[in-house]
Amino acid sequence: MPALRVTVIGTGYVGLTTGACLASLGHFVVCADADPHKVERLREARVDILEPGLPETVRDALDADRLDFTGDTAAAVTEADVVFLCLPTPMGAGGAADLAAVEAVAGQIREVLPPGCVVVNKSTVPVGTCERVAALLGRADVAVVSNPEFLREGRAVHDFLHPDRIVIGAADRDAARRVAGLYAELDAPLVLTDPASAELTKYAANFFLAMKLSFANNLATVCERFGADIADVAEGIGRDPRIGSAFLRPGPGWGGSCLPKDTHALLTACDRAGVDFPLLRATIETNVTHQRRLVEQVAAACGRGEDGSLHGVRLALYGLTFKAGTSDLRDSPALAVARLLRERGAELTAYDPALRERRPDLSDLVTLVDDPVRAAEGVAACVVLTEWPELRDLDWAAIAARMAGHEVHDFRNLLDADRLARAGLIWQGIGRAAAPTRVA
């Protein structure tokens, strides 16, 4: 298929990755964004998103004259063969997806779309959004297609160029074939379906992943109660191909830019449609309960008084991003646990390797420092919340020397308990057997 002229509206994780990768496949891409400062930086290949391979992909596409950036959304679509909507759909009132950005852009481009153009919903949107966008456009000569993304932050470029499936939902088969042609060079199964099925596929996938994580976290509690080891149990069941090993590692709960908003949006949609979905509701509730249980674990070890108050107790948090390999703090489970600790009165100092240069304002919650040893000054315990591999190799002896207490609560089961014991620390994970005795 010949190279197409593509416009991508929105330059977040999905939009920028989509634009840069489509350009790398030989298409001519213009990415539009309402933020003029961001546009200027991207024209200089300055990518502010922490995403491996993305800065290089953007730079190569710019150098090949296949990628450009603009702040003029209307002008960007006037000659496009395909227009991708990669816009935020955050959780709105009552848990429903907020489509304000999608609807606003549809209004902006309605009159300037060229005849025969295909508009693609790449954003995660509720069932029926394709029809909604088509109605807002009011253009019988413009097809609207659903093409959900399945990108993992920290592996977005890899996932785009090596997808395990490409899902396209369209009522117009010619439009579907045109969108499929954009990915012709990629070796991946193609799922051609109707728009509603494509839209629901994205939500169903994220719900299933959230459910699996809630299962793993709840299973860790069961392991603790019966003296079993979650690592061994997870390996034992994960080797069953019907189950698989992915998303079976316990942690401080699930979060990020997708799972929380998408599970709530699906639950809200089901409620409005009169569909009872107790498994989905339990998945969400289990996540919240699990995080509270972890806070109780810290309070039991470090709290004061019978009520386990953490008032005035200093704690060091290691990791705030929702997972390793990204600087994204959106709906981070680490921040959720931090807020629960703060509500109990704890004084929090935090270190995260992704936030040493990108310093968000979290002053109402934690004191953010750029030295992991400094973070431990005078603390009763350390709490590991993000699975950054480099945390394994910290100078834990130096950290122990700065601490007032000896506890390390490893809510990612990341650290070596024996190594911490040699540093004079007591390791406590989740769902694991008892740690070695602290070495004096």
Side-chain angles (χ1 to χ4, degrees), residues 249 322-324 384-391 412 414:
R249 294 186 63 180
F322 89 91
K323 69 174 184 177
V384 177
L385 294 170
T386 308
E387 74 282 19
W388 289 103
E390 48 263 58
L391 297 182
R412 293 286 186 172
L414 177 74

Side-chain angles (χ1 to χ4, degrees), residues 90-232:
M91 192 188 308
D98 184 349
L99 298 179
V102 174
E103 294 175 349
V105 167
Q108 292 173 20
I109 65 177
R110 177 176 54 222
E111 302 297 334
V112 292
L113 289 169
C117 177
V118 177
V119 173
V120 181
N121 273 334
K122 197 73 171 171
S123 306
T124 302
V125 292
V127 174
T129 303
C130 262
E131 293 180 1
R132 172 65 175 155
V133 171
L136 289 170
L137 294 176
R139 293 281 300 273
D141 59 342
V142 172
V144 181
V145 172
S146 174
N147 175 217
E149 54 84 15
F150 300 98
L151 306 179
R152 295 168 292 176
E153 289 187 33
R155 294 180 60 87
V157 173
H158 176 275
D159 288 350
F160 191 100
L161 297 175
H162 303 87
D164 45 29
R165 79 281 206 194
I166 296 170
V167 178
I168 299 173
D172 184 321
R173 289 294 167 177
D174 289 337
R177 281 191 286 269
R178 183 184 300 184
V179 175
L182 292 169
Y183 305 102
E185 291 191 20
L186 304 181
D187 182 19
L190 181 62
V191 180
L192 291 177
T193 184
D194 59 272
S197 296
E199 291 163 341
L200 187 55
T201 294
K202 171 65 176 181
Y203 279 109
N206 279 352
F207 159 52
F208 191 86
L209 297 178
M211 179 183 66
K212 204 170 179 184
L213 288 168
S214 282
F215 167 77
N217 288 330
N218 220 158
L219 186 61
T221 304
V222 175
C223 287
E224 290 176 12
R225 183 63 58 89
F226 290 107
D229 191 312
I230 184 62
D232 294 340

Side-chain angles (χ1 to χ4, degrees), residues 327-342:
S327 58
D328 198 345
L329 294 169
R330 288 177 292 177
D331 277 307
S332 170
L335 290 182
V337 171
R339 290 188 188 98
L340 291 172
L341 290 168
R342 189 74 187 89

Side-chain angles (χ1 to χ4, degrees), residues 4 25 47 82 84-85 103 146 164 167 176 188 192 220 226 228 266 285 331 336 351 376 382 390 401 428 436 438:
L4 296 180
L25 295 176
V47 176
V82 180
F84 280 88
L85 304 182
E103 294 175 349
S146 174
D164 45 29
V167 178
L192 291 177
F226 290 107
L266 180 57
E285 292 172 351
D331 277 307
Y351 166 79
C382 296
E390 48 263 58
Q428 177 66 58
R438 179 170 64 92

